[in-house]
Amino acid sequence: MSRTPRPILDAAAGNVLVMIALHQDKPCPTNAEIMEWTGVPRRRLRAYLQSLVARGVIEIEYRDMNPSRRRLRAPGMPWTGWTRRGNSA
């Protein structure tokens, strides 16, 4: 199994920060949007986001401990809205 080089993931982290800034006062980006912006495959997405949290790049808050209901922010910045799913608010 090949691993993604660290510089590529660091560049993707910059994309995540831009995406978060563009989603302030809007629903949090979905997994599909994050994958499109970063190029990180679905099977690695959760681990990638957690690595950004561990490095202090982003903060994630989950609603009802549900990983598909989240909001994101860069430390000290405003939160995005909660991820919207279908007709739910």
Side-chain angles (χ1 to χ4, degrees):
M1 175 187 315
S2 68
R3 295 187 145 277
T4 305
R6 180 79 180 222
I8 292 172
L9 293 179
D10 286 344
N15 288 345
V16 170
L17 293 173
V18 170
M19 181 178 42
I20 290 171
L22 293 174
H23 279 81
Q24 288 177 0
D25 300 321
K26 296 178 185 173
C28 179
T30 63
N31 286 345
E33 290 174 293
I34 296 171
M35 290 183 310
E36 184 178 324
W37 275 73
T38 63
V40 175
R42 182 175 300 278
R43 68 184 177 279
R44 294 186 183 168
L45 187 60
R46 184 175 293 173
Y48 174 68
L49 291 175
Q50 289 306 315
S51 76
L52 293 180
V53 170
R55 292 170 42 207
V57 176
I58 65 171
E59 296 175 357
I60 302 176
E61 185 172 272
Y62 296 101
R63 182 179 276 177
D64 301 324
M65 300 303 292
N66 182 343
S68 65
R69 298 285 299 162
R70 66 170 175 251
R71 62 185 186 168
L72 306 172
R73 73 176 179 176
M77 300 301 292
W79 289 99
T80 64
W82 292 99
T83 304
R84 183 175 16 211
R85 297 284 183 231
N87 293 328
S88 63

